[in-house]
Amino acid sequence: MLCAKYWHPWVEHTNSHLDKAAMVLAVCEVNTSTMTRQRTPWQIGKQYQESTTAPNTGIWGSYPLTAWFAQRSAGYGYLLYAPAQQLWTAWYGATVGSHTGFAMHTYHRDAPEISQEEYAKYTYPVPREMVELREEAEGPWRDHHRTGTGDHQASAAWRYHPRLKDIGLQKHTHGPVYMQQYGLANGSVGQLPAGEFANPGHKTGRLEMLFGEDTGIQANALRPCGEDWIVGIIAKVGGNVCAKVTRLGEITTWKSIEPSVGKMPCGSSGGACGDGAKGRMLRIAPLGSSEEEALCGATARGCFQTVPVKQHHVMSWCRLALLQFLFGYEKEDRTRWLVEVDGDCNEISEKMDVTQSTHWPLYQDWTTTTAGEVVWVTTWQADVKGSFGPVGSPNGVWPYKPKPQLEEEEYLFDLTPEATNAAKVTVYSPWRGTTTSMSSTASSSTLSTTVVVISTSIWLLSGFQPAEGGEDRACRGASASDNHATYYVVVEASSLEACQHACLDQPLCSGVEYSPGRCEVWTRPGGIRSTKPLRGFSCYRLEPPGAFALRPVDGGHRACRGQTASDNSPEYMKVLPIGRLFDCKAACLQDPDCTGIEFSLGRCEVWTRSIHASAEISNFTCLALEGPSFREVNGPGQACRGAHKSDNLMSYYEVVPDTSLDACMWSCTGRLGCSGVEFSQGRCEVWSQQIQATIALEGFACLRYAPVLQNLQSFIRKRRQHFLGLLQTSSKENLSRTKLEGASEEL
């Protein structure tokens, strides 16, 4: 697996009204089984310098950081592999001084590094142990324009054609969209570009996308179709158009699927771009066959493979099928739609409104699996204001606030606020009723969207949070005296970090306790709720934010059920392929419909129905999500007080050395009688006195704690069953008042 990787440059800022800063674009090779990097990333593109002193340096074709127009033309850059030639090619919106344009760079898969002599010529050399510099491939595709020019590129789309063994691409600048072949095919490997595509280059081999009275104005998507191409393009008259282009550059089909088109948003408010550019939400992808087959026409014979979930062999079969493509688009009101089309752009299904179910990014293409399913991956937040579409629909265009600029570094930026490690994976299956995901679905059984929480050991190590200060603290369960041996597994570890790594190897781990030579990997379903002061000990939680609201059902080591122990309908849950309890909790906490989780190794059920019962099954964990138990008292910026604003006796609270509000709330849930918390700049007050008043103080937070009794209906049902049992064994006259009072007190 390869991915685009961006590195901060060791460069000075150029004087430009674009307020840009250049970066080094690199390729990372990743092992898909372990998600670990296989080798040093290697540069694929230019590195900014004021003057050209070495290969791929200078101002022509710099990779931008904040040049919005260059980014809008090709997102953060596209990366494509040509298997026949074993070549990697990158295409990104670029800058040339104060101009915007594009750059394309191609490298052999095993290209050699540049010499030390060439490396010494770089004005701002990136350390070679961080990013390798390799020799760029030569060929007819490469000219001085394509490696970096300021043509004001404004849209981009491309795809590798497995039969032509070349890249097809579309873009536009100030005029209509035009289409080209890149030029990888040389006659011995693939057919030479012919017809309108002959003599490929920046200014040659162009086919303008004009058909009748209509004009292509935004490049969006293209796919192989036999030896030809099927295209999704935004047109001036037709709007969202499906078109066919032959390998000789002849436009044979031009059909409007939906005339209205949403305008491209250019800000976190959802407003349209100043130039009123039409959107980039049109997509097309093969459905029912892999892209490598490049099937086309009204019907085609396709062979498919699938791997059964509980078997090790691969099943294959062939069938005569109606060849399909999935066509996605956005209307003027920013609703999103899907429709199936055949290889001649004829609609063969009803149009499906998927606005409330999924979103796809402005610049990311779709992928077709070898089984013929169409997949896309993104993330989103709920559009509560309706800035990017209907209120409450997913906002994947601008889901986050802008990165804050670092005060000490004028052209560097901090982490994205409220970013998440949860990816939304949407799968559209051509086989009716065979969708593998059991998560939230659209109106058709062919579409499913699954929340997948992506995590790595590196990220998780930074996710360990000190429990009540962490140092000189021993971990405990529900209280400072709750330390049952079943809560943890003892392993050998030479350091706290080694202990944390041991935790990451345990799917149920919720934290660690470390003392010299001894490591406790905690797996208690209810987590580490409390600590005990103990010199030389360290206690750290590994929990996603807000996990204190997940409470064990009937002890936690159970399987979740609905109303009774046998009530377990698939409609109650969304099933996610998740390998850690941490990630299962995170998926629940990020899902507004979640009521709890059931976790077993490799499987996470995010429940959307209330959990009132459980079943005893080994190696299962059932946790219920309690309702909002912490609520701000009198809004933000408040310090807690007792009966009135000046009532602040030290006996009302315990000061706990927690460094975050989330940790402070954990400490409250682990103390009997906690009524709320006050948190400010690393100071946590766990209150036991009733909080009735507050005083305004900037930087303070006062939250009242009102725990929701979990499984109340289940509890009442059990007490009722117990009471009926008493009636069966005793007469009403002999039923003691003590038993009834006992039942009342327990409730």
Side-chain angles (χ1 to χ4, degrees):
M1 174 182 176
L2 279 87
C3 56
K5 182 77 174 179
Y6 315 112
W7 296 81
H8 288 299
W10 287 260
V11 302
E12 297 294 329
H13 179 62
T14 60
N15 294 322
S16 166
H17 68 273
L18 292 173
D19 186 28
K20 65 181 183 300
M23 299 182 77
V24 174
L25 184 63
V27 173
C28 301
E29 298 185 30
V30 178
N31 183 308
T32 55
S33 298
T34 63
M35 292 308 294
T36 56
R37 198 174 70 195
Q38 293 298 98
R39 58 194 302 175
T40 304
W42 49 275
Q43 181 178 332
I44 187 166
K46 281 197 175 179
Q47 182 177 329
Y48 170 81
Q49 289 185 180
E50 293 92 336
S51 58
T52 302
T53 63
N56 285 328
T57 62
I59 68 170
W60 290 80
S62 298
Y63 184 79
L65 176 62
T66 58
W68 70 272
F69 192 86
Q71 283 186 350
R72 195 180 81 172
S73 72
Y76 288 102
Y78 300 128
L79 185 66
L80 189 149
Y81 184 62
Q85 296 88 351
Q86 295 190 331
L87 292 173
W88 285 100
T89 301
W91 180 12
Y92 55 90
T95 60
V96 180
S98 60
H99 294 277
T100 61
F102 79 100
M104 295 175 172
H105 295 272
T106 299
Y107 290 75
H108 285 286
R109 178 182 178 181
D110 297 316
E113 289 192 63
I114 65 171
S115 66
Q116 183 60 37
E117 181 182 1
E118 291 292 331
Y119 179 73
K121 297 178 182 179
Y122 278 74
T123 306
Y124 310 110
V126 180
R128 302 186 84 162
E129 65 272 15
M130 297 182 66
V131 179
E132 293 179 358
L133 300 176
R134 299 185 179 183
E135 295 180 6
E136 186 164 355
E138 296 288 345
W141 61 81
R142 188 179 184 193
D143 59 37
H144 71 280
H145 297 291
R146 278 185 167 173
T147 55
T149 193
D151 68 343
H152 295 184
Q153 173 179 295
S155 67
W158 70 346
R159 207 68 179 179
Y160 180 77
H161 199 304
R163 297 194 186 184
L164 301 180
K165 295 178 172 51
D166 204 348
I167 297 172
L169 63 97
Q170 290 186 340
K171 59 178 288 182
H172 87 279
T173 55
H174 300 288
V177 172
Y178 61 85
M179 184 171 176
Q180 298 176 299
Q181 280 187 221
Y182 188 54
L184 298 181
N186 57 17
S188 59
V189 179
Q191 303 177 43
L192 283 170
E196 296 294 325
F197 299 138
N199 303 315
H202 172 58
K203 294 186 176 181
T204 55
R206 294 185 178 185
L207 166 68
E208 290 192 334
M209 297 298 291
L210 306 173
F211 192 85
E213 301 298 321
D214 210 353
T215 301
I217 59 174
Q218 276 275 350
N220 272 228
L222 67 159
R223 286 293 190 276
C225 191
E227 288 193 334
D228 303 323
W229 300 90
I230 189 167
V231 174
I233 189 170
I234 302 295
K236 188 174 183 179
V237 177
N240 294 285
V241 165
C242 177
K244 290 285 295 297
V245 180
T246 71
R247 70 176 188 85
L248 300 177
E250 304 162 315
I251 303 175
T252 59
T253 302
W254 188 280
K255 294 184 179 180
S256 174
I257 304 299
E258 166 56 46
S260 73
V261 182
K263 292 185 177 181
M264 194 184 307
C266 273
S268 57
S269 65
C273 300
D275 58 1
K278 294 296 179 69
R280 292 282 291 276
M281 294 291 287
L282 195 159
R283 300 290 183 272
I284 191 168
L287 181 66
S289 66
S290 67
E291 192 166 332
E292 287 70 23
E293 295 174 280
L295 301 181
C296 199
T299 60
R301 185 173 179 80
C303 296
F304 314 100
Q305 292 184 336
T306 182
V307 182
V309 176
K310 295 186 178 181
Q311 299 180 33
H312 298 289
H313 64 279
V314 176
M315 296 176 58
S316 302
W317 70 92
C318 296
R319 65 171 188 144
L320 189 65
L322 180 67
L323 184 70
Q324 306 163 80
F325 290 85
L326 184 63
F327 192 95
Y329 58 93
E330 184 180 67
K331 296 172 67 172
E332 188 173 7
D333 60 2
R334 289 183 176 168
T335 56
R336 293 173 291 281
W337 297 75
L338 300 176
V339 65
E340 296 176 16
V341 300
D342 65 17
D344 293 323
C345 291
N346 298 307
E347 297 177 35
I348 57 175
S349 74
E350 294 183 1
K351 294 176 178 178
M352 182 194 305
D353 185 352
V354 296
T355 310
Q356 299 295 335
S357 304
T358 186
H359 205 293
W360 49 91
L362 279 174
Y363 308 105
Q364 182 194 86
D365 220 333
W366 290 349
T367 297
T368 301
T369 69
T370 56
E373 295 177 318
V374 179
V375 181
W376 57 91
V377 183
T378 184
T379 191
W380 61 65
Q381 307 285 0
D383 190 359
V384 295
K385 295 183 179 179
S387 302
F388 297 87
V391 173
S393 63
N395 165 27
V397 178
W398 215 287
Y400 306 120
K401 297 177 182 177
K403 292 183 178 182
Q405 200 164 3
L406 295 176
E407 296 180 0
E408 64 274 14
E409 297 287 349
E410 187 176 359
Y411 300 106
L412 295 180
F413 296 82
D414 204 348
L415 299 176
T416 301
E418 302 177 3
T420 176
N421 65 323
K424 309 291 197 308
V425 181
T426 302
V427 180
Y428 189 101
S429 173
W431 323 119
R432 296 292 195 274
T434 61
T435 301
T436 56
S437 169
M438 296 176 62
S439 60
S440 58
T441 60
S443 57
S444 169
S445 62
T446 62
L447 181 73
S448 68
T449 300
T450 303
V451 181
V452 177
V453 181
I454 312 247
S455 61
T456 65
S457 295
I458 294 175
W459 183 87
L460 282 173
L461 275 177
S462 65
F464 282 96
Q465 299 297 321
E468 300 183 355
E471 299 306 312
D472 293 328
R473 293 274 177 170
C475 300
R476 294 295 184 263
S479 66
S481 60
D482 184 21
N483 189 35
H484 200 278
T486 59
Y487 293 168
Y488 52 81
V489 178
V490 178
V491 299
E492 293 185 2
S494 58
S495 65
L496 173 60
E497 184 174 338
C499 184
Q500 291 172 335
H501 275 291
C503 169
L504 299 182
D505 291 334
Q506 168 54 254
L508 297 177
C509 181
S510 59
V512 297
E513 176 189 290
Y514 177 76
S515 57
R518 177 187 169 92
C519 170
E520 292 181 2
V521 175
W522 274 62
T523 58
R524 179 178 181 267
I528 301 169
R529 298 276 170 178
S530 186
T531 67
K532 178 180 179 179
L534 203 58
R535 184 174 296 277
F537 282 66
S538 301
C539 181
Y540 284 78
R541 292 190 189 95
L542 182 64
E543 299 278 8
F548 54 78
L550 287 163
R551 297 285 189 161
V553 176
D554 299 331
H557 294 297
R558 315 275 293 184
C560 298
R561 294 295 183 262
Q563 196 66 29
T564 65
S566 60
D567 185 16
N568 191 32
S569 170
E571 297 178 354
Y572 296 166
M573 66 201 72
K574 306 172 186 178
V575 179
L576 310 179
I578 287 177
R580 297 180 188 273
L581 179 59
F582 176 99
D583 297 332
C584 188
K585 291 177 181 178
C588 170
L589 295 168
Q590 294 164 2
D591 188 332
D593 298 325
C594 181
T595 59
I597 61 170
E598 176 190 290
F599 178 78
S600 56
L601 189 58
R603 176 186 172 95
C604 169
E605 294 180 1
V606 175
W607 277 59
T608 56
R609 181 212 192 279
S610 296
I611 300 169
H612 297 306
S614 66
E616 185 176 358
I617 303 179
S618 60
N619 300 319
F620 276 66
T621 301
C622 180
L623 305 175
L625 182 66
E626 65 182 13
S629 53
F630 285 95
R631 297 183 181 275
E632 283 186 335
V633 184
N634 299 329
Q638 300 287 325
C640 299
R641 294 296 184 264
H644 48 79
K645 291 185 176 182
S646 59
D647 187 18
N648 190 32
L649 295 177
M650 294 181 63
S651 60
Y652 290 172
Y653 53 82
E654 176 188 353
V655 178
V656 181
D658 282 319
T659 57
S660 69
L661 177 58
D662 188 70
C664 188
M665 290 189 282
W666 269 100
S667 295
C668 173
T669 63
R671 283 164 169 75
L672 188 64
C674 176
S675 61
V677 297
E678 177 189 290
F679 182 78
S680 63
Q681 299 178 345
R683 175 188 167 92
C684 169
E685 293 180 3
V686 177
W687 277 61
S688 56
Q689 180 72 14
Q690 192 68 25
I691 301 171
Q692 302 181 51
T694 61
I695 184 172
L697 278 178
E698 186 176 352
F700 279 66
C702 178
L703 295 93
R704 187 178 290 121
Y705 180 53
V708 178
L709 180 61
Q710 287 299 298
N711 303 316
L712 178 59
Q713 294 183 21
S714 174
F715 177 80
I716 294 174
R717 185 182 66 254
K718 291 177 182 178
R719 295 309 304 162
R720 184 182 297 117
Q721 292 172 348
H722 174 67
F723 181 68
L724 291 175
L726 293 177
L727 290 178
Q728 292 172 359
T729 57
S730 305
S731 66
K732 292 184 179 180
E733 291 78 9
N734 294 329
L735 188 61
S736 70
R737 179 176 303 218
T738 303
K739 291 178 180 177
L740 288 173
E741 289 178 349
S744 177
E745 289 173 1
E746 187 175 349
L747 177 59

